Structures are given as C-alpha cells and as structure tokens.
Amino acid sequence: MAENEEDTRYARWLNGQLNEQEQSELEADGTLDDLQKIIDTTDQLTMGKYDAEGAFAKLKANRTTSTAKVRPLRPNWAWAAAAAVLLLLVAGIGFFIRSDQQITATAQNTVAFTFQDGSKVLLNDGSALRYKEAEWEEERRTKLTGEAYFEVEKGQAFYVSTPNGMVQVLGTRFNVRAWGKGLRVECYEGRVLVTAQDQSLELRANQAAQLVGSKLAQAGSLDHARPLWEEGTSRFYQASAQEVFDELERQFAVRVRNKAKAADSFSGVFTHGDLEEALQQICIPLGLSFQIAEDQQVVEIN
C-alpha cells in the first residue's frame, strides 16, 4: 500500500469511517492494537484537548519503524567473537589438562620420577615416558620409548605401552627395554603380562621375556634383582651390533660410524665408566676394530 493511502486509512479509522474489510486488515497486521493504545493513553490524560494530528504523526513514525525491511537474524559480531574466544579458552584448558606429561632422560643421565599413587620409574639414558596426569587415578597408562625400571604400587592395572609391545601389571618391580624393533622385559617381583606380535607371555619373579624377530619367548632366569644399567652396565641378549652401538652412543654421548658389516648378534655387556674399555668389550667378541677421535666425540668401527 502507498504511503498516502496508508495515512488516509489511519485518519479514516480515527473518524470511524473504515468498512469491515479495512477494519479486519488493521486487526490482522496488528495496526489496530497500536492505534487503540494511543486512544487509551489519551483518554487517561488530563492535559488540554487531544492533538489528533500529533498523535497521528507519532503513530506514523512508529509504524514506519515497525514496518522496516525484514532482515535475517544474525548474532552480533562482538558477541560471536567473544563466544569464539571463550570456546578456544575452554578447549585450550581442556587440552592442557588432558595432554600427556613427558619425563625425559638425556644422554649420560638417568631420571627418577614418582607418580601420584607412589609408583616409581627410573629412566635410562635417552629414554622418555609419557602419561596423562589428569587421568591417572582412573587409568594408569604410560608410553615408553627406550628403557625404564618400574616399581608399581598395588592397585588397578598399570600399563607400559611401547612401539613393540605392551606390559601389564598390578603391583611389581620390572624393567622394560624397547629400543628399535626390540623388546625385553625383566620381572624382579610379582607378575607381569607381556603382549607383542599377537602373542602373550606371563612372567613371574626372576623371569624375562624377549622379542626376537617376530617371536616373543621366555629368556631364561635372571641372576640379578634389579636392572644392571642402574649399576653402570648395559647387558645384551642376542642383540644386533647396531643396537649395541646405539646404546653406546646414548651412554657416552658419542657418534658411532659403523663401517663394519657384522652379521653376528651380540650377547654380553659393556660398562659405562670408560669409553675405550666399553668398545673393547663390544668389539673383541665381534671381531671388530675401533678408533676414537681425539675429541672423544666420534668413534669409527671397522
């Protein structure tokens, strides 16, 4: 409807000149309610004579506002931005609460750590252990890269996950070595369940298990009550020469250039006190020779 026609209709309503159809149209779109409110208000006034023209102008202004072009509802951008920031903060807090905690032992260093439940772990050189601190009371799960000795308090199951297999215990003392593709578990007290390559093996005190290739097998009885590396000795059972030299690098913070093509596996030990002595303990059984650089940082194996 044109603006002039609309103005005329309002004026005619004020004068009681609308027909039934026009009256119904005003009722349908809510205009009649607005007009009636003006009349009710003016009836309560004790001021001078009612200004019909002024009231009409006010009504017109109000109706112009109420009949403005309809726009789709959109959230205020400032509120949207604030909500987005809040969501990010909440997500960030949740991330840090749930994210893994990591314990790391650098080369030539071991690190001891005690969990909330009193369980303890000692990490060998170059090893790392991750766990979720916030979820520890509900689930005692760890992820190990390298080698570590555990003393687990009794309680719900305690898990040590490695790239090559899983160890599950309730309360016990044990050592897990998981470098490269190898896995060796030694149980000193209680029982542990070792799972690798779809195979499972339960160990009792003084027993060990080792993953050789794709086979998980028991590896004889132990002659020590704690891991030998605690006392400065690395021990190997049918390990490749490369695995042994990798351990040498971690213990002495050196770089080994292995130019030899030794195919024989190594079963034996090397001590951590002296680099040359350790190399002799490795190379003599394998029929290899070695040369240590003057800066003691590089070792060449032939």
Side-chain angles (χ1 to χ4, degrees):
M1 179 182 297
E3 183 174 350
N4 290 337
E5 293 178 359
E6 189 175 46
D7 294 347
T8 302
R9 178 184 245 186
Y10 295 160
R12 290 171 55 225
W13 176 83
L14 288 171
N15 292 325
Q17 298 176 348
L18 293 181
N19 58 39
E20 292 184 4
Q21 180 178 351
E22 291 172 328
Q23 184 85 7
S24 298
E25 290 175 355
L26 287 180
E27 291 176 353
D29 65 10
T31 301
L32 187 60
D33 290 338
D34 292 340
L35 293 169
Q36 191 60 54
K37 287 178 183 177
I38 294 175
I39 299 302
D40 293 341
T41 300
T42 57
D43 287 343
Q44 298 173 13
L45 296 176
T46 57
M47 298 174 62
K49 185 180 179 180
Y50 173 67
D51 183 1
E53 290 183 1
F56 176 75
K58 182 178 179 181
L59 171 64
K60 179 180 176 181
N62 290 339
R63 293 305 298 175
T64 300
T65 302
S66 63
T67 57
K69 183 181 292 184
V70 177
R71 292 174 296 180
L73 293 176
R74 296 184 179 89
N76 183 283
W77 71 268
W79 283 103
V85 171
L86 180 60
L87 287 173
L88 287 174
L89 287 174
V90 171
I93 292 171
F95 170 78
F96 284 112
I97 289 176
R98 295 177 176 81
S99 62
D100 290 353
Q101 303 295 319
Q102 179 161 307
I103 311 158
T104 303
T106 57
Q108 293 185 295
N109 289 286
T110 59
V111 172
F113 181 79
T114 302
F115 297 96
Q116 298 98 301
D117 65 339
S119 297
K120 300 177 181 178
V121 61
L122 180 65
L123 271 68
N124 199 355
D125 303 46
S127 303
L129 186 78
R130 300 175 69 90
Y131 77 104
K132 285 184 170 59
E133 183 177 12
E135 300 177 6
W136 190 253
E137 293 184 2
E138 291 77 27
E139 193 172 50
R140 302 191 295 179
R141 287 186 178 273
T142 65
K143 295 180 181 179
L144 174 66
T145 301
E147 184 171 16
Y149 166 66
F150 296 85
E151 293 184 355
V152 176
E153 292 295 319
K154 292 182 179 180
Q156 60 185 343
F158 187 106
Y159 299 91
V160 181
S161 175
T162 79
N164 307 317
M166 170 82 76
V167 180
Q168 177 182 346
V169 303
L170 294 177
T172 183
R173 296 187 302 109
F174 62 100
N175 188 78
V176 181
R177 179 181 178 83
W179 284 117
K181 297 180 180 180
L183 175 67
R184 180 178 173 84
V185 180
E186 296 181 351
C187 179
Y188 310 118
E189 181 182 280
R191 298 181 183 182
V192 301
L193 178 65
V194 184
T195 303
Q197 301 288 339
D198 296 325
Q199 305 164 67
S200 294
L201 188 62
E202 184 179 289
L203 301 179
R204 297 174 180 268
N206 300 319
Q207 292 182 335
Q210 187 159 333
L211 182 64
V212 179
S214 60
K215 184 178 181 181
L216 179 66
Q218 190 168 325
S221 299
L222 301 176
D223 56 6
H224 48 279
R226 295 177 70 91
L228 296 177
W229 59 264
E230 277 192 298
E231 302 172 359
T233 300
S234 291
R235 186 166 183 173
F236 301 89
Y237 304 83
Q238 295 180 304
S240 68
Q242 188 58 52
E243 181 182 343
V244 178
F245 289 133
D246 287 344
E247 179 69 11
L248 186 80
E249 287 184 328
R250 287 188 290 269
Q251 296 296 338
F252 290 94
V254 298
R255 185 156 56 94
V256 177
R257 295 175 179 169
N258 185 9
K259 296 183 178 181
K261 301 297 181 182
D264 295 339
S265 60
F266 178 83
S267 295
V269 302
F270 73 76
T271 54
H272 304 165
D274 181 85
L275 177 59
E276 184 171 355
E277 181 180 354
L279 284 165
Q280 290 175 348
Q281 292 169 329
I282 299 169
C283 292
I284 292 176
L286 291 175
L288 303 174
S289 62
F290 63 87
Q291 183 176 354
I292 304 173
E294 291 185 8
D295 60 6
Q296 297 282 303
Q297 298 298 306
V298 178
V299 175
E300 188 171 292
I301 306 294
N302 295 290

